[in-house]
Amino acid sequence: MTDAPKIDPHVQGEHDPDTKGHFGPYGGRYMPEALIGALDELSAEYDKARLDPEFTAEFTRLLRDYAGRPSLLTEAPRFAEHAGGARVFLKREDLNHTGSHKINNVLGQALLTKRMGKKRVIAETGAGQHGVATATACALMGLDCVVYMGEVDTERQALNVARMKLLGAEVIPVKSGSRTLKDAINEALRDWVTNVDTTHYLLGTAAGGHPFPVMVRNFHKVIGIEARAQYLELTGRLPDAVTACVGGGSNAIGIFHGFIDDPAVRLVGIEPGGKGIETGEHGATLGHGSPGMLHGAMSYLLQDEDGQTTEAYSISAGLDYPGVGPEHAWLKDTARAEYRSATDDEAMHAFQLLSRTEGIIPAIESSHALAGALKLGQELGPEGHILVNLSGRGDKDMDTAAKYFGFYEES
Amino acid sequence: MGALDPVFERTRGEGRGALIGYLPAGFPTVDGSVDLLKGMVDAGCDLVEVGVPYSDPVMDGPVIQAAAETALKAGFRLRDLFTVVEAVSAAGGRAVVMTYWNPVFRYGVDAFSRDLAAAGGLGIITPDLIPDEADDWLAASAAHGLDRIFLVAPSSSEERIASTVAASSGFVYATAVMGVTGARDQVGVSASGLVERTRAHTSLPIGVGLGVRSGAQAAEVASFADAVIVGSAFVSRAQEGVSGVRALVTELADGVRTAPTPIG
């Protein structure tokens, strides 16, 4: 393919939520009244923008000329030898500018921020990938940027804090609660309710109150649209299964939507199994959580008997979140998608395996999807075709990996 | 006739604003919160809001966040809420509950309403539930005779104020400023404007919360609203024990009595 495909605006398509943002019983707005005006404003602006050929053209141009789309589709034959001989293809979101799929959504929302006449952007970040992508888009478009990051994560991801600062963003360490991603979102919401007239909250995943889940999904749908066309062009057929990691679920929902109307294509989300589901230290929200509301939407979440959110755990900071986007909850309940988990060890095995067999160092987040592909390959056998969304690159994970594999001790 | 109507009949009859005080259940302990709330009632709070400590209080500032964390670390369970409400009611107090919605949803909206009513609770204030998402609560509150206190904000459109007050009973909670809970030096002109806009759509009493901490502020708010709601300031004074919250009630109760009667 030589050109990026046009982004399909999909105005009130079959897979869109109802006008109040419900996917079945999930989604909606479980938000303070003080923020409803801002969500209404955002919905109205987004509904106009998605119909506006100029907006679509500008978004498409930025994805091509700035983010580097379309991202490649790469076959991984040496890796696939470990996957029961099935053919494995990687959608290379790791090759985008800033190193992950996150750039798609931030470019879309930053354009909307300008359309709304707002000058200040706030964002939350866990591992720092969304924070870096947001700081990047704000630098590009001349917007003020404040990123909330759990204090624990600022220590784990000091390099990304430096990147954000270099890009001109202010990084605020969040000291409340568990001092991780969940609390960074709480703090960003508190900022938003205080400064909503001047500020857009650039949420980093397909969760939160309506219209965030559908809007973020649509900005990431380019992944699935490209991948489907590339897969057909390379192989003349569609994959048997498409797999992606699921934390909040934005990269997964983006690639799934390229194939959602192909009923023969299985959609398989891989959640973080952490130290093993049986230990209770995991982030498998869909597999082992229950319905409830967190951060503005009804979905699945990890909670105790009293509805208090419980802490997620994953070796991957980007999947370390006790909630998940509401559309995934609906895809699970309707059985259009299936959700499994991969443990830290399984993900780290896949992380090292892809590095050594293909010369591609994946993000630890994406390594969960690779671990899922290794199992799917065994199940599908040599005739199988698997598409993996390689949502990010692993440079940011070197410290974690070096500790995990004991590289520091060897030297 | 809503469960809270007698409260406002009385305060209107006395030509003053109502004083509503907030404290989380289980803070600093379950028994401690009962003593504090009983002290607030005894010293002159017309109504108390019993808060549910929650892991993700996005509408709350640092003071109430810290109190919720203290209560949860001390082992607060949702069933303790009903113990607290029952004790306050038995002591002659009137209580509503203020809670984020997920604990209620998880408990079961109807079961929660049933158990709250059985404990003597009169209604629920719902900071993150808007009427658009409240079908279950509309049904359960009607079935169990509880009042539904929804919030309006300075950013609410006329249309949203109209639909929110239409779904409300007891009183309407007007958030004085755009922001989270916490004492402020000024409650802002936005509060009186919001109360005025809300009055155009309802004859329900209107309470103003967010930021009030002093007798002078209470007097100012009571000059245009039917009730003055005080939260973080009580949580701060709770450090000094029952005498601390009683002293604040006395100051605020003087405030709501020195203001001219609102025209409502």
Side-chain angles (χ1 to χ4, degrees):
Chain A
M1 294 202 323
T2 49
D3 286 321
K6 283 257 182 293
I7 309 308
D8 180 357
H10 269 247
V11 176
Q12 283 302 316
E14 182 190 349
H15 303 292
D16 277 5
D18 72 16
T19 54
K20 297 199 169 203
H22 298 107
F23 298 90
Y26 302 109
R29 286 178 178 169
Y30 293 85
M31 293 288 255
E33 169 63 25
L35 288 173
I36 300 298
L39 293 170
D40 280 342
E41 180 192 13
L42 181 61
S43 285
E45 196 61 49
Y46 175 60
D47 285 345
K48 266 190 281 174
R50 73 203 293 211
L51 284 171
D52 179 353
E54 268 182 45
F55 179 86
T56 304
E58 178 65 358
F59 181 48
T60 306
R61 185 191 69 75
L62 282 170
L63 290 181
R64 185 191 61 216
D65 299 346
Y66 188 73
R69 303 205 72 93
S71 66
L72 300 176
L73 186 71
T74 305
E75 185 162 12
R78 283 176 28 82
F79 178 81
E81 286 170 17
H82 302 265
R87 290 180 73 180
V88 176
F89 295 78
L90 309 175
K91 180 59 175 165
R92 302 291 305 281
E93 293 298 297
D94 61 317
L95 296 177
N96 296 335
H97 181 44
T98 72
S100 80
H101 72 291
K102 295 286 187 190
I103 193 75
N104 304 324
N105 170 49
V106 300
L107 288 172
Q109 286 198 51
L111 282 177
L112 277 179
T113 305
K114 288 183 74 175
R115 280 177 73 110
M116 289 187 290
K118 294 185 172 181
K119 304 264 186 266
R120 180 174 179 265
V121 164
I122 56 173
E124 82 294 341
T125 198
Q129 291 305 94
H130 175 60
V132 167
T134 303
T136 299
C138 288
L140 176 69
M141 299 191 200
L143 298 164
D144 293 336
C145 180
V146 174
V147 178
Y148 289 93
M149 187 169 187
E151 193 178 40
V152 171
D153 293 330
T154 60
E155 288 157 12
R156 287 197 285 207
Q157 302 286 342
L159 194 64
N160 272 340
V161 173
R163 289 170 82 193
M164 288 184 268
K165 287 183 175 169
L166 185 63
L167 290 159
E170 182 188 355
V171 180
I172 301 183
V174 175
K175 298 174 182 358
S176 59
S178 60
R179 298 179 295 140
T180 59
L181 177 58
K182 165 178 92 74
D183 306 283
I185 296 176
N186 291 343
E187 211 50 43
L189 285 167
R190 292 180 186 121
D191 179 316
W192 202 29
V193 76
T194 308
N195 300 299
V196 68
D197 284 347
T198 59
T199 300
H200 175 62
Y201 180 11
L202 207 162
L203 186 67
T205 193
H210 177 66
F212 282 106
V214 64
M215 179 178 74
V216 174
R217 174 196 86 190
N218 288 348
F219 287 143
H220 282 307
K221 213 149 72 173
V222 63
I223 307 170
I225 293 169
E226 284 177 7
R228 189 178 187 279
Q230 289 167 321
Y231 211 100
L232 281 170
E233 192 174 290
L234 264 175
T235 69
R237 53 162 287 175
L238 291 174
D240 297 306
V242 176
T243 187
C245 63
V246 178
S250 68
N251 89 81
I253 207 72
I255 198 162
F256 284 0
H257 265 271
F259 300 88
I260 199 155
D261 292 321
D262 299 310
V265 179
R266 287 167 60 188
L267 308 176
V268 186
I270 310 294
E271 297 192 297
K275 295 179 180 170
I277 300 300
E278 68 287 350
T279 67
E281 292 192 57
H282 62 81
T285 308
L286 289 159
H288 299 273
S290 53
M293 33 307 263
L294 176 66
H295 296 143
M298 166 111 69
S299 185
Y300 278 67
L301 68 143
L302 299 177
Q303 58 183 330
D304 70 12
E305 254 185 274
D306 282 351
Q308 309 286 353
T309 313
T310 53
E311 296 200 8
Y313 164 79
S314 171
I315 192 170
S316 143
L319 302 181
D320 192 352
Y321 180 57
V324 67
E327 191 174 2
H328 284 294
W330 183 233
L331 292 177
K332 171 191 159 79
D333 282 12
T334 56
R336 177 61 190 97
E338 50 195 294
Y339 296 89
R340 304 173 167 197
S341 62
T343 63
D344 287 357
D345 290 343
E346 288 166 334
M348 293 310 288
H349 167 71
F351 174 89
Q352 188 179 50
L353 187 65
L354 191 76
S355 301
R356 291 186 175 181
T357 56
E358 303 289 347
I360 297 170
I361 300 175
I364 299 178
E365 287 81 4
S366 322
S367 301
H368 287 72
L370 292 164
L374 292 175
K375 273 195 190 157
L376 278 167
Q378 300 292 340
E379 293 162 22
L380 292 168
E383 303 300 313
H385 270 247
I386 302 165
L387 169 62
V388 180
N389 198 16
L390 199 73
S391 55
R393 67 181 184 223
D395 309 42
K396 69 184 175 61
D397 295 316
M398 280 310 105
D399 188 50
T400 305
K403 282 177 186 151
Y404 182 88
F405 293 113
F407 294 161
Y408 291 143
E409 289 143 43
E410 288 166 18
S411 57
Chain B
M1 179 100 175
L4 287 167
D5 292 354
V7 174
F8 293 98
E9 272 168 22
R10 180 175 157 201
T11 57
R12 280 177 165 172
E14 292 175 9
R16 64 175 177 91
L19 175 61
I20 304 178
Y22 164 96
L23 212 65
F27 172 73
T29 63
V30 174
D31 290 345
S33 65
V34 169
D35 291 342
L36 290 165
L37 284 158
K38 283 189 349 196
M40 285 160 67
V41 168
D42 189 52
C45 274
D46 298 294
L47 179 69
V48 289
E49 279 179 25
V50 183
V52 174
Y54 177 53
S55 53
D56 295 275
V58 298
M59 277 289 283
D60 285 305
V63 171
I64 294 179
Q65 284 176 44
E69 216 170 301
T70 300
L72 290 171
K73 278 194 181 139
F76 172 84
R77 295 295 313 270
L78 201 51
R79 59 175 173 266
D80 298 326
L81 173 75
F82 304 116
T83 309
V84 173
V85 169
E86 198 162 15
V88 172
S89 306
R94 289 192 168 92
V96 292
V97 162
M98 181 154 193
T99 181
Y100 292 91
W101 199 241
N102 194 53
V104 180
F105 176 79
R106 179 75 166 155
Y107 194 91
V109 177
D110 190 72
F112 188 96
S113 303
R114 177 197 66 211
D115 291 353
L116 179 60
L122 304 178
I124 310 182
I125 302 169
T126 52
D128 66 348
L129 183 73
I130 56 174
D132 316 48
E133 302 286 357
D135 287 353
D136 291 353
W137 167 227
L138 298 185
S141 54
H144 299 285
L146 296 172
D147 276 324
R148 298 182 291 270
I149 301 114
F150 291 108
L151 281 67
V152 292
S155 61
S156 300
S157 64
E158 295 302 314
E159 201 180 2
R160 286 209 59 84
I161 291 175
S163 63
T164 301
V165 300
S168 302
S169 65
F171 70 98
V172 179
Y173 190 126
T175 51
V177 291
M178 293 299 289
V180 295
T181 58
R184 290 171 172 83
D185 291 332
Q186 291 193 317
V187 287
V189 284
S190 59
S192 61
L194 175 60
V195 169
E196 198 177 317
R197 290 203 295 136
T198 306
R199 286 221 196 277
H201 297 281
T202 185
S203 57
L204 282 171
I206 300 167
V208 168
L210 254 57
V212 182
R213 65 174 184 186
S214 69
Q217 285 173 324
E220 184 198 343
V221 169
S223 72
F224 58 80
D226 303 287
V228 178
I229 304 168
V230 180
S232 297
F234 275 116
V235 175
S236 297
R237 292 299 286 272
Q239 314 287 349
E240 301 157 36
V242 177
S243 62
V245 297
R246 288 187 69 110
L248 182 59
V249 172
T250 305
E251 180 189 338
L252 295 167
D254 278 350
V256 297
R257 281 171 177 79
T258 54
T261 317
I263 298 154

